[in-house]
Amino acid sequence: MSDSRGASALRSDARRNVDRILHAAVRVFREQGFSASLDEIAAAAGVSKATIFNRLGGRVGLIDAVIDDVVATELRAVIEDARSVVGIRERIRGYIAALRDLQYRLPAVNDVLLQEYRESEPLLALCHAGTDFHDSLVAQGRAAGVLAHDFMAADFQALARDNALALKHGGRPPRADYDRRTAFVLDGICSSSSASV
């Protein structure tokens, strides 16, 4: 009987440890992205780094366990919100603005767009969902004459990836500067009233 109670207490302690790890991982990954230090997550959870490996299999297992709470739910919402916009021009503009906002606020979005952790099946599934949506946006935009005839889905991907690289490795600019640059992306660098030289 004491063996049963001891095993139950161990399972209960292990479950509490996992819950603390997951809670800490969501907070740290949302603040810093998926490349955040596992030592920091372990310290925030009050466990050893080895416990993360023992309970969740390391970084990729941890990402898989928390990806919905860190970033997937919000990325899917951005796509679904854009799908509900009637006009394709407004859909494209709204989606780009919302994606860039998410890239600024949640560093883990940039890890997803850069496919930093290809071993994570949920992360790659999220990438594929985004790619499929980009492809449909570009096809619809070109068919409606909203996008330049030579603008391709790969260009859409490159814009998002370039922004991810800049935010991840170049640092986050002040929000006002970032929003101004987003307007350049949305409106083009030259105003429509510019005289040609």
Side-chain angles (χ1 to χ4, degrees):
M1 194 145 177
S2 63
D3 288 345
S4 172
R5 278 182 294 205
S8 177
L10 180 60
R11 282 192 299 270
S12 180
D13 286 346
R15 183 68 238 164
R16 276 193 300 276
N17 283 345
V18 169
D19 288 344
R20 286 196 313 262
I21 291 167
L22 296 177
H23 179 74
V26 167
R27 183 181 57 76
V28 173
F29 283 158
R30 281 184 67 88
E31 291 171 2
Q32 300 177 30
F34 289 129
S35 58
S37 164
L38 292 184
D39 288 323
E40 184 175 341
I41 293 170
V47 300
S48 70
K49 186 173 162 182
T51 302
I52 294 174
F53 282 88
N54 290 336
R55 299 291 176 218
L56 294 154
R59 182 178 304 278
V60 172
L62 191 53
I63 290 169
D64 291 352
V66 300
I67 194 166
D68 283 340
D69 292 329
V70 173
V71 70
T73 301
E74 291 193 54
L75 265 173
R76 287 188 196 108
V78 164
I79 290 171
E80 290 311 310
D81 287 349
R83 279 194 174 114
S84 70
V85 175
V86 177
I88 186 61
R89 180 184 307 275
E90 293 76 19
R91 186 177 313 138
I92 291 170
R93 289 177 59 85
Y95 175 71
I96 290 171
L99 180 60
R100 285 181 60 91
D101 175 66
L102 208 53
Q103 285 182 271
Y104 189 86
R105 290 187 299 107
L106 287 176
V109 170
N110 299 314
D111 293 324
V112 171
L113 293 171
L114 295 171
Q115 298 182 14
E116 292 282 351
Y117 299 98
R118 292 175 180 258
E119 305 85 13
S120 170
E121 290 182 27
L123 187 146
L124 286 183
L126 200 52
C127 289
H128 294 310
T131 298
D132 292 345
F133 184 63
H134 294 169
D135 291 347
S136 74
L137 275 182
V138 171
Q140 293 166 26
R142 287 177 70 185
V146 169
L147 294 174
H149 72 281
D150 59 346
F151 187 87
M152 296 185 239
D155 297 320
F156 206 103
Q157 303 288 29
L159 288 171
R161 190 175 51 250
D162 290 350
N163 191 45
L165 285 167
L167 288 169
K168 185 171 176 87
H169 300 293
R172 288 174 12 141
R175 185 65 197 234
D177 289 343
Y178 185 79
D179 290 343
R180 185 172 51 84
R181 291 173 189 142
T182 295
F184 290 147
V185 172
L186 294 174
D187 298 335
I189 294 171
C190 298
S191 68
S192 58
S193 62
S194 294
S196 57
V197 178

